[in-house]
Amino acid sequence: MRKTFAKLEDDYGSLEPLQNIMFTPISGGEKAHRTIRDLNDHVGTNVMFDSGGYEVQVGNKTFDELQAYLHDFYGENHWGHRYVLPDNVPVSQDSSEVVQRKVEQTADISALFYRQMPDSLKPRALAVVQGHTQDQLQHCLNKYASLDGLQHIGFGSFGTSGVSNGVNMLTTEAYHNLEWAVNQAHEADLSVHAFGVGGPTSIPLLHHAGVDSFDTTSWMRSSGYGNVFFPFKSRYNASHRKKRGGNLLTKDELPHIKAETEHECPFCKEMSQLRSSRWNRIMHNLIVIHEMTNRIEDMTRGEILEAMDEESTYRRRLKKVTSSNKSEVSI
């Protein structure tokens, strides 16, 4: 973490891409806790404390252990920007009965946990909406409507894939549920955070759905496979060592894709930087994500669609959900 901040400050000249970060206390060791607190105190970083529901999902902790940990940690640390309430995450492979149980457990425990929080933390609490159906999402929203002073909710029910279902996917069904939940929340004056999704091709969908914030590790995760991002484009493989999907990026193509996407940063001046250094790919990808979140606010639907790859699944999805005649486009 310190190396990431140091490289941003020294080479990019700004820490703005990491002005807001998410930290999972239950997963971090003592050294990580000290680092995060130091960054908050001396750099002014806004820290959202994640609940750590993933630890329950993969079997490292029970839901009861998670609640107990968060109760103690939140009670002792009042310097956070957001405090995510305990949630039990449904995954794509769960049966309908298991999903329903997790939804009810998340809503009930979150409400109880919120009421037990110190009054000074309640305006910074964030309750997670879980569910695979709108009825389940509504169950969470109804429960949270009874919480006096709650200002923020999060949406976590995306499709999942990968090892231990650790990768969130913005499927068509998840998108429609997200958009519906955002509309319901905004009517109740609640902000909405989208958990764990936000690559260059999914950010336009999050923007159209109306989310207020999102978090993603795609910039770091993808770089480990040799992949690099450019605004609104599908990933490119720069290391050429592993074929993990996406087009190969060549020395000749680099200046053209940079010009097309109007991207320039200190970490992609030469192809050799991206090919040989995972750290350069990490920093480059982070800056691209930050760049996109700022740029998209001033773009029209047409400009966004034009900037995306013609064959992109997310482009087709965005075109469908923003079309006045939605039957024209298939996914």
Side-chain angles (χ1 to χ4, degrees), residues 242-299:
K242 296 180 180 179
K243 183 61 176 174
R244 293 276 186 151
N247 298 319
L248 294 179
L249 182 65
T250 65
K251 179 181 179 180
D252 292 338
E253 189 170 10
L254 178 61
H256 297 291
I257 189 66
K258 287 166 59 177
E260 180 185 350
T261 60
E262 300 180 359
H263 170 78
E264 187 67 57
C265 77
F267 304 100
C268 65
K269 290 182 178 180
E270 303 290 341
M271 184 64 204
S272 58
Q273 291 176 285
L274 298 176
R275 180 184 296 119
S276 61
S277 172
R278 178 174 177 263
W279 269 106
N280 282 337
R281 293 193 296 269
I282 288 173
M283 304 311 298
H284 163 84
N285 288 348
L286 172 62
I287 291 169
V288 168
I289 294 295
H290 173 68
E291 203 172 83
M292 278 193 64
T293 58
N294 289 334
R295 191 188 300 181
I296 200 170
E297 294 294 333
D298 298 320
M299 296 176 68

Side-chain angles (χ1 to χ4, degrees), residues 230-243:
F230 289 93
F232 301 97
K233 300 298 183 182
S234 301
R235 64 184 182 271
Y236 284 79
N237 187 276
S239 71
H240 300 188
R241 290 194 299 270
K242 296 180 180 179
K243 183 61 176 174

Side-chain angles (χ1 to χ4, degrees), residues 33-295:
H33 282 233
R34 289 198 303 268
T35 298
I36 293 297
R37 180 61 190 267
D38 187 58
L39 290 171
N40 177 83
D41 291 346
H42 297 100
V43 181
T45 299
N46 297 320
V47 180
M48 176 186 287
F49 292 129
D50 187 27
S51 67
Y54 179 74
E55 296 295 322
V56 177
Q57 182 179 320
V58 299
N60 292 337
K61 300 288 182 182
T62 67
F63 194 47
D64 287 342
E65 289 172 335
L66 176 65
Q67 297 170 56
Y69 177 88
L70 292 178
H71 181 274
D72 292 343
F73 182 84
Y74 289 178
E76 296 168 1
N77 295 273
H78 291 195
W79 47 274
H81 182 66
R82 291 281 184 274
Y83 293 79
V84 180
L85 305 183
D87 65 312
N88 200 352
V89 185
V91 298
S92 296
Q93 290 76 19
D94 284 341
S95 67
S96 57
E97 292 79 11
V98 171
V99 172
Q100 185 64 33
R101 175 177 58 80
K102 288 183 175 181
V103 167
E104 293 175 358
Q105 193 174 42
T106 294
D108 291 344
I109 295 302
S110 289
L112 178 62
F113 192 97
Y114 178 85
R115 293 187 177 102
Q116 295 175 343
M117 291 180 79
D119 288 341
S120 61
L121 297 188
K122 288 181 178 179
R124 289 175 275 166
L126 186 150
V128 183
V129 173
Q130 296 285 12
H132 289 178
T133 68
Q134 289 185 4
D135 284 344
Q136 291 169 339
L137 300 175
Q138 188 69 68
H139 175 81
C140 292
L141 290 168
N142 289 344
K143 180 70 70 169
Y144 301 153
S146 67
L147 303 179
D148 187 37
L150 182 71
Q151 299 178 21
H152 314 284
I153 67 162
F155 184 92
S157 287
F158 295 101
T160 55
S161 66
V163 179
S164 301
N165 293 291
V167 179
N168 284 354
M169 302 182 301
L170 192 51
T171 61
T172 303
E173 180 182 14
Y175 173 82
H176 287 303
N177 284 339
L178 171 64
E179 185 179 43
W180 180 86
V182 168
N183 290 335
Q184 297 296 312
H186 284 174
E187 287 183 8
D189 293 325
L190 297 169
S191 74
V192 182
H193 179 86
F195 283 100
V197 63
T201 53
S202 59
I203 287 175
L205 280 163
L206 297 177
H207 172 71
H208 184 263
V211 301
D212 300 284
S213 60
F214 67 92
D215 68 89
T216 179
T217 58
S218 63
W219 52 279
M220 182 175 290
R221 184 194 298 265
S222 196
S223 66
Y225 297 127
N227 295 326
V228 293
F229 296 160
F230 289 93
F232 301 97
K233 300 298 183 182
S234 301
R235 64 184 182 271
Y236 284 79
N237 187 276
S239 71
H240 300 188
R241 290 194 299 270
K242 296 180 180 179
K243 183 61 176 174
R244 293 276 186 151
N247 298 319
L248 294 179
L249 182 65
T250 65
K251 179 181 179 180
D252 292 338
E253 189 170 10
L254 178 61
H256 297 291
I257 189 66
K258 287 166 59 177
E260 180 185 350
T261 60
E262 300 180 359
H263 170 78
E264 187 67 57
C265 77
F267 304 100
C268 65
K269 290 182 178 180
E270 303 290 341
M271 184 64 204
S272 58
Q273 291 176 285
L274 298 176
R275 180 184 296 119
S276 61
S277 172
R278 178 174 177 263
W279 269 106
N280 282 337
R281 293 193 296 269
I282 288 173
M283 304 311 298
H284 163 84
N285 288 348
L286 172 62
I287 291 169
V288 168
I289 294 295
H290 173 68
E291 203 172 83
M292 278 193 64
T293 58
N294 289 334
R295 191 188 300 181

